[in-house]
Amino acid sequence: MGAVACRWGARIALSPLLFLLAAPAFPLDSTVPFSETPQTAPDGLPVSAEEILVTQAANLELDPAILEDSPVLQRWLEEIPDVLEDIRTDPSFRTRLRIGYSRVPTSDEDGLIVGVEDVFIGRTGLTLNADYQGDLGGDRHSFGGDLRYYALPLGGYVNLGPVLGYRRVDTGGDRADGVNLGLRLLFVPSRTGAADIALMQTWVNPGSDDQGASLSTLSVGYAVTRQLRLASEIQVQVLPDDQDTRFSVLLEWMP
């Protein structure tokens, strides 16, 4: 009895679904994992996927349509997932393609932003990023690319990581280009790209007194559909002989 109780407690702690599976409506050991359901009938004829779902639904005393429409239930019946591994490797934020409008109040110029954010390299915390920001008059622009490594579990609500890449910044009165080094702090109150807030601080040519720049960027994004987001961004560019503040509104597509 003690061993059975421990097994029930562990499964209930993992997920509310396991509480459903452990309900006293059927014996705990009587359920057959989805992957172990016989693929042939006793007469040797193959069993269709629909018949397998009906069998599983009967074991759970569920309407077969509920099981058929629930990939989560099917996944848990096939194999209990490693929740901790999912939290570590399944990102709470997504790759985004961006295009938008920007304005620099000091120059009274309208501009354009295009870019890509957080293209994941495998199931790691390493991402590729690139963007271009330019005024329509052509006097002020900034472009570059970088690698970001998110050091904390990708599925968490908070992440932090170093940024390393190249950037060129031209404010019309001053210019800096070279290695771009810094940190990015990410808050994800709602997973899968639904909403996030990011603060990034980088330095172009860090350590240089006359050819360096400091870039401070605050970004906020909110999904309006499953694949489209609205985002806003404020970036302060500080160069030795000039300073700009750029305000942007963007449309982001999440592939």
Side-chain angles (χ1 to χ4, degrees), residues 44 98-99 123 128 154 188 196 215 255:
R98 325 172 80 205
I99 185 170
R123 290 178 64 86
L128 290 170
L154 294 178
V188 187
D196 54 53
L215 305 178

Side-chain angles (χ1 to χ4, degrees), residues 89 117 131 156 159 171 174 245:
T89 61
E117 294 269 315
D131 71 280
N159 222 308
T171 64
D174 203 354
T245 300

Side-chain angles (χ1 to χ4, degrees), residues 144-191:
D146 60 62
L147 290 171
R148 301 170 189 167
Y149 181 75
Y150 294 97
L152 301 180
L154 294 178
Y157 292 105
V158 179
N159 222 308
L160 175 68
V163 178
L164 175 62
Y166 167 84
R167 180 156 292 275
R168 172 169 173 163
V169 182
D170 194 333
T171 64
D174 203 354
R175 186 180 71 183
D177 67 289
V179 173
N180 189 35
L181 181 64
L183 287 172
R184 179 178 170 89
L185 178 62
L186 181 65
F187 299 94
V188 187
S190 186
R191 285 179 51 85

Side-chain angles (χ1 to χ4, degrees), residues 3-71:
V4 173
C6 289
R7 291 172 58 192
W8 281 33
R11 294 192 178 191
I12 293 172
L14 280 175
S15 169
L17 177 60
L18 289 179
F19 179 79
L20 172 65
L21 297 178
F26 54 87
L28 180 63
D29 295 327
S30 66
T31 57
V32 179
F34 188 79
S35 61
E36 296 179 7
T37 303
Q39 303 301 306
T40 58
D43 57 6
L45 296 177
V47 178
S48 67
E50 289 78 8
E51 290 174 311
I52 294 173
L53 290 175
V54 169
T55 301
Q56 293 295 328
N59 289 337
L60 296 176
E61 297 186 353
L62 291 175
D63 184 341
I66 296 177
L67 186 57
E68 184 176 0
D69 295 337
S70 176

Side-chain angles (χ1 to χ4, degrees), residues 204-223:
V204 180
N205 272 336
S208 174
D209 295 331
D210 57 349
Q211 294 183 338
S214 169
L215 305 178
S216 304
T217 309
L218 174 65
S219 306
V220 178
Y222 185 82

